[in-house]
Amino acid sequence: MPNFTRAAVLTRSVRTVCACGEGVEIRCVQDGSLAYALGLTDLPTETDARFALGVWEATHECAPTVAELLSLLGLDVL
């Protein structure tokens, strides 16, 4: 008879959304998680996930609007 081991890993998610509507959500485990310490999950800790969100926020560039594209082409929108 096979011997199974079960582990319940409580997860949460952190997310950020830009004013343009684009956003990121990362599933993670809470800091100090025993499951993370024992290697029972491949999810990042909440601190690592928040750091990754900070990097995304710092490097995110919103897509240009139609008015901005027309302006780049030298066309004025009334």
Side-chain angles (χ1 to χ4, degrees), residues 7-72:
V9 178
L10 299 177
T11 63
R12 55 181 63 189
S13 64
V14 292
R15 64 181 147 205
T16 186
V17 179
C18 180
C20 72
E22 195 173 345
V24 175
E25 181 174 7
I26 301 174
R27 284 185 46 224
C28 58
V29 294
Q30 67 185 20
D31 292 335
S33 166
L34 184 60
Y36 182 82
L38 295 175
L40 299 176
T41 180
D42 58 351
L43 296 175
T45 63
E46 187 174 350
T47 298
D48 293 340
R50 289 192 184 281
F51 177 80
L53 289 181
V55 171
W56 183 86
E57 289 173 347
T59 59
H60 172 68
E61 292 184 15
C62 298
T65 63
V66 173
E68 290 170 338
L69 289 174
L70 291 175
S71 175
L72 290 172

